[in-house]
Amino acid sequence: MAAARVLLSGRPESRPPFCPFPALDQQPRAPGAELPTNRGVDLAVAVVLQSSDQTVLLTRRTRTLNVSPNLWVPPGGHVEPDEELLDGGLRELWEESGLQLPQGQFFWVPLGLWESAYPPRLSWGLPKYHHIILYLLVISQESQQQLQARIQPNPREVSALMWLGRDVAAAVAATEDGTETPRHLPQDLPPSVLQELSFCSAVELEENGGARPLVLPTSTLLRTTPATADSKERVSTGTKFALRLWLQHLGR
């Protein structure tokens, strides 16, 4: 984690407002409800892959995964010992999507650090996993169509994928997880954004190994983390954080 903090000196760090760890020492726990003694903080890396069309790739985690099932996230995972951060991100991108980016046809910048827990809320149960996620923006010189043509998702980890454009990403990032007040999308969003949200460029994997077009309802993409445990499809809170940073990068 020290390497990530050195790399991201001056970069945003954040966590969800309902992150369980700050509250753990402030409330009594029932007898026997102790945190796992072997729990540590793991470093993970996630790749926000941007095409030359200025769209970014998200994958939907399978329902069978033990951590964060059925969530839309960028490709990513644990950093191996002595592995460079970029190398770890590109390895995870390849393992999950089958994409290998040609040398010299992309560049990258760090976006920010995110503190993640699973379960994500104390109301779901005591946290079993604790990660610091480094989001890397990897900007490809290839178009969405060129990248999509080479994608071969790993069905053990990925059940669907989609490409989000700037306007769609802005609508998703505008939803606030952990707030008690009604959500209000920014008034300056183009009027077609919500309509576009129902027609994202997305595909879903089939049991026979093929893929079919996936139409995502607006309500699915704008869901927030519920107070009680469930595995409904939604965009993860950390992904919304990363999308906000991506949009800020585009605006520079």
Side-chain angles (χ1 to χ4, degrees):
M1 191 171 71
R5 291 188 179 278
V6 170
L7 175 65
L8 283 170
S9 177
R11 297 283 178 168
E13 298 180 46
S14 192
R15 62 188 177 196
F18 48 80
C19 182
F21 297 109
L24 282 174
D25 293 332
Q26 301 177 14
Q27 67 177 51
R29 293 194 290 273
E34 296 297 326
L35 289 172
T37 56
N38 61 346
R39 180 183 61 86
V41 182
D42 293 320
L43 176 63
V45 62
V47 169
V48 179
L49 176 62
Q50 176 186 316
S51 70
S52 63
D53 315 91
Q54 294 193 342
T55 59
V56 292
L57 176 68
L58 296 184
T59 61
R60 188 179 66 194
R61 293 169 60 82
T62 64
R63 291 180 178 272
T64 57
L65 292 174
N66 292 326
V67 180
S68 304
N70 216 28
L71 291 190
W72 285 99
V73 296
H78 289 96
V79 177
E80 300 293 343
D82 300 322
E83 187 176 39
E84 295 291 333
L85 296 172
L86 176 62
D87 292 341
L90 294 179
R91 172 184 53 77
E92 289 288 344
L93 175 66
W94 171 72
E95 289 178 358
E96 295 183 17
S97 72
L99 273 177
Q100 289 185 298
L101 303 180
Q103 289 294 328
Q105 294 192 30
F106 69 90
F107 66 95
W108 66 283
V109 293
L111 285 178
L113 288 169
W114 179 257
E115 184 176 12
S116 174
Y118 190 81
R121 290 178 178 265
L122 280 180
S123 57
W124 289 35
L126 290 173
K128 298 179 181 178
Y129 301 93
H130 190 185
H131 291 89
I132 299 297
I133 303 174
L134 168 61
Y135 287 101
L136 299 179
L137 174 59
V138 175
I139 303 173
S140 173
Q141 296 178 13
E142 296 180 275
S143 68
Q144 174 185 317
Q145 185 177 11
Q146 290 174 309
L147 293 168
Q148 179 65 36
R150 300 205 313 276
I151 286 181
Q152 296 180 322
N154 180 352
R156 291 175 296 181
E157 298 187 49
V158 174
S159 62
L161 58 91
M162 67 176 168
W163 294 89
L164 289 184
R166 184 192 302 227
D167 292 341
V168 178
V172 174
T175 60
E176 293 290 338
D177 284 7
T179 59
E180 301 301 327
T181 55
R183 302 190 307 274
H184 296 286
L185 296 179
Q187 296 298 310
D188 58 349
L189 287 175
S192 62
V193 166
L194 293 180
Q195 181 179 4
E196 290 175 8
L197 278 169
S198 296
F199 299 95
C200 287
S201 177
V203 296
E204 185 172 39
L205 302 190
E206 298 179 307
E207 292 184 1
N208 62 6
R212 63 188 175 196
L214 174 64
V215 177
L216 288 169
T218 301
S219 58
T220 298
L221 293 175
L222 301 185
R223 283 176 181 153
T224 58
T225 305
T228 56
D230 73 26
S231 58
K232 287 185 178 178
E233 181 181 2
R234 58 185 170 83
V235 178
S236 78
T237 312
T239 300
K240 295 176 183 179
F241 166 75
L243 289 175
R244 287 194 288 272
L245 296 180
W246 173 60
L247 292 166
Q248 292 171 13
H249 184 273
L250 286 180
R252 291 172 186 163

